Each structure stands twice: as structure tokens, then as C-alpha cells.
Amino acid sequence: MDHLQRPHFVLALAPAEVAVRAARDTVRAVMERWDREDVNGDLELITSELVTNAIRYAKAITVVLSLPDATTAMVEVWDDNPDVPAAPTMDLQAESGRGLMLVGALSRSWGCRPTGAGKVTWARTHTN
């Protein structure tokens, strides 16, 4: 079954700093509407990190939130930049660059795949 046949929500965002807050607020509201708990706020933080990366490098951003099964939420951030995210580095002194390490630590799984118009970066996490 296609994941868009399950409960899902789509949000188009402009590549601006306010997009990160809008995405987080939307994730929280949609999960509440679906009566699903974002365990420890992980899904909000993952979404925040993925959208932050997208607004740095893309002009068009779409967030898709879905429920693949009874214990999982999935966020996908679609953008128009074909460059895949750089592998996380372990420079703990750097002022940035830890976002994908957080995504990896907080998600069940995550990845990136090309699309005809750019890429989609996705992550799955636990819900209750």
C-alpha cells in the first residue's frame, strides 16, 4: 500500500527562517489531531533539522507527515536541490553540522533519495 493512502499531511514552505517554526508547530498540531504522541518531541526536532537543511540549500520545500503503522511516524522533506546531504562529521567544536547526527540518533531510520526535481530526505520515529 502506498504510504499516502495512510493518514498524511502535506505542508508547502517558503525557504525562510520562519519555516522551521511553522513546520514544528504543524507537526505538533497534526500529531495531536491524529491522537498520536511524538515521543520526547523527537519528530518535531527531526523535522526542524531537516527543514533547516532544506531552507539553506533549496528554493521550494514541502513537508509530508505520515503514519506508516501503529507505532511509527514518518516525515519527508522534499526540496528542489538535487545535492544529497553531506555525511555527518564528528567535529564537536564546529558551530553547525550536527543536525544529521541528531536525526540519525533520534530516528528509527533515515535517508535521502533523488526525485525528478530534487530530493526527499526522510526519517521514521516511534510514536505512541
Side-chain angles (χ1 to χ4, degrees):
M1 173 177 5
D2 183 287
H3 75 278
L4 291 181
Q5 293 176 347
R6 300 180 189 116
H8 68 281
F9 186 87
V10 179
L11 174 67
L13 297 168
E17 291 297 321
V18 296
V20 177
R21 173 111 195 186
R24 264 195 330 261
D25 292 348
T26 299
V27 164
R28 184 180 318 110
V30 169
M31 293 297 286
E32 287 173 4
R33 184 172 39 152
W34 287 342
D35 197 27
R36 296 287 282 272
E37 181 186 0
D38 176 11
V39 179
N40 300 320
D42 291 351
L43 187 61
E44 282 184 56
L45 182 53
I46 290 167
T47 301
S48 196
E49 294 299 332
L50 296 180
V51 170
T52 296
N53 281 350
I55 65 173
R56 286 187 183 142
Y57 305 107
K59 295 178 185 161
I61 303 163
T62 302
V63 176
V64 178
L65 183 63
S66 62
L67 300 177
D69 59 48
T71 62
T72 306
M74 181 171 183
V75 62
E76 298 176 322
V77 178
W78 295 69
D79 68 54
D80 62 349
N81 183 331
D83 297 335
V84 296
T89 61
M90 293 302 291
D91 182 359
L92 299 179
Q93 301 302 318
E95 291 186 20
S96 64
R98 293 183 198 89
L100 292 178
M101 287 191 325
L102 281 172
V103 170
L106 297 175
S107 64
R108 281 182 167 175
S109 59
W110 76 278
C112 184
R113 67 182 183 276
T115 65
K119 69 180 170 302
V120 59
T121 308
W122 58 269
R124 292 175 181 249
T125 189
H126 295 281
T127 66
N128 289 329

